[in-house]
Amino acid sequence: MHTRAFMIRTLALAAAGALLPALALSQDKPPLKIVVGFPPGGSADLLARLMAEGLKNDFSQVIVENKPGAAGRIALGLVKRAPADGQTVVLLPSGPMVLFPHVYKKLEYDAVSDFTPISLLAHFQFSVVAGAGVPVKNVKDMIARAKAEPGKGTYGTPGLGSLPHFMGVMFGQKAGAELNHVPFQGGGPANTALLGGHIDYKFDVVTETAELHRAGKVRIIGVTGRQRDPQVPEVPTLQEQGVDMVATAWFGMYGPAGLKPEVRDMLSAAVAKAIKTPALRAKLIEQGYEPVGSTPAELATAQAADLKRWEAPIKATGVQMD
């Protein structure tokens, strides 16, 4: 009896000893929470989950937390107030960091001083989408129709003051064909309105409507980048269709202000390593992203350049929100 008990105890200790290195290794790695200011299923959420998968070996756990609302401002507020320990970051498109400072009279955050840049993750472009019942086959048809029926064409976006909103404004200026903006509370409701024939067109990231386009429920008639989007390679760019317009955006990752340089650089290096893996790069490209994985300084530079680039066009529209 004593011998059997001794053997059981010995085996238990051996098993515990074998687990100790793994536990120690796990405890050496911090957890990471990626906050996303948009609902599940959208482009930001999809990218966050791809990044979480790519980062899982560098952290004890990686979770994605959706905090939708106010076009991403709620998530930014949460991360702004989070401890500066490198365990909470926000992943978001560039709009809230480069457009909102020009759009909102009273913004709950300072896009530069309240956050620590970590990495520019990827560039992406937008699409011009026509409803199935709209009698246009391409952007030239769209422009001709808008000129023939001035003031009647409508386009929907995920919200007033969003990047697609100003894409539509820029398109009207470049094409000489003004369209009426109809804002919605996100890309999903705008899709519903387009499918229902309540609006004629939609400006949004390609990912939001690529499947609907392939199913023949809507038609993507143009993309806003310098090159065609791999999700819809048959669709020409605006430049190919005679509109001198290139407009792209990016996704970035930020932490709260005050991150120690070594923590910031650790996060940035982990992101860059993940994005350089062939599997993650392939998935990003498949979703229409141009993978980057930059240094913190490169993200800060991109943000500063876009803050300057969008200031005049936004002021020209007169859009100001509380």
Side-chain angles (χ1 to χ4, degrees):
M1 190 73 175
H2 290 296
T3 302
R4 184 166 178 267
F6 176 77
M7 288 179 65
I8 292 172
R9 184 166 176 244
T10 301
L11 288 170
L13 287 171
L19 285 173
L20 282 176
L23 287 171
L25 188 62
S26 174
Q27 288 169 357
D28 284 344
K29 296 178 181 178
L32 182 68
K33 178 166 67 178
I34 303 174
V35 182
V36 178
F38 302 91
S43 53
D45 176 71
L46 174 62
L47 179 57
R49 294 183 190 281
L50 287 174
M51 290 306 307
E53 177 67 18
L55 291 167
K56 67 181 182 181
N57 293 328
D58 289 296
F59 298 88
S60 59
Q61 63 172 341
V62 184
I63 62 170
V64 175
E65 186 173 287
N66 296 90
K67 290 293 182 181
R73 302 197 308 280
I74 289 175
L76 280 167
L78 288 170
V79 174
K80 171 188 170 181
R81 297 186 295 272
D85 56 9
Q87 296 183 20
T88 303
V89 298
V90 63
L91 185 153
L92 77 169
S94 52
M97 305 304 277
V98 303
L99 299 183
F100 291 3
H102 305 308
V103 171
Y104 288 91
K105 296 176 185 176
K106 297 178 181 178
L107 202 56
E108 304 91 337
Y109 59 87
D110 186 293
V112 176
S113 64
D114 284 338
F115 301 96
T116 301
I118 294 170
S119 181
L120 193 161
L121 307 174
H123 291 287
F124 63 98
Q125 58 179 310
F126 292 78
S127 58
V128 184
V129 193
V134 180
V136 301
K137 294 181 180 179
N138 50 50
V139 168
K140 289 183 179 179
D141 289 349
M142 176 186 179
I143 294 169
R145 182 171 182 259
K147 288 181 176 179
E149 301 175 354
K152 288 188 178 180
T154 55
Y155 76 96
T157 70
L160 184 68
S162 65
L163 195 49
H165 172 195
F166 295 114
M167 292 276 180
V169 171
M170 184 183 291
F171 175 84
Q173 292 171 346
K174 297 288 186 181
E178 188 175 348
L179 299 169
N180 293 314
H181 177 227
V182 182
F184 292 89
Q185 294 297 314
N191 278 344
T192 301
L194 189 67
L195 289 166
H198 303 297
I199 55 175
D200 298 317
Y201 310 104
K202 176 173 175 270
F203 284 78
D204 209 345
V205 293
V206 181
T207 306
E208 295 284 353
T209 42
E211 296 235 355
L212 294 172
H213 167 79
R214 286 191 283 267
K217 296 181 179 180
V218 300
R219 287 191 304 281
I220 297 178
I221 58 175
V223 293
T224 65
R226 294 189 183 279
Q227 298 177 337
R228 296 191 182 196
D229 191 289
Q231 297 174 96
V232 287
E234 73 283 3
V235 178
T237 67
L238 294 182
Q239 284 190 323
E240 288 181 86
Q241 300 183 74
V243 180
D244 185 20
M245 172 177 164
V246 174
T248 59
W250 42 264
F251 276 100
M253 183 181 287
Y254 292 81
L259 279 188
K260 292 180 179 178
E262 59 269 25
V263 174
R264 176 202 65 195
D265 292 345
M266 177 274 292
L267 288 166
S268 180
V271 168
K273 183 179 75 172
I275 288 178
K276 286 176 183 175
T277 60
L280 182 53
R281 282 186 67 83
K283 288 178 182 177
L284 292 174
I285 292 169
E286 183 183 344
Q287 294 298 326
Y289 299 122
E290 179 188 339
V292 182
S294 79
T295 64
E298 288 167 337
L299 174 55
T301 298
Q303 181 183 350
D306 277 0
L307 270 167
K308 184 177 181 180
R309 179 165 70 96
W310 284 105
E311 183 176 9
I314 290 171
K315 285 186 176 178
T317 68
V319 172
Q320 277 277 286
M321 293 186 286
D322 293 327

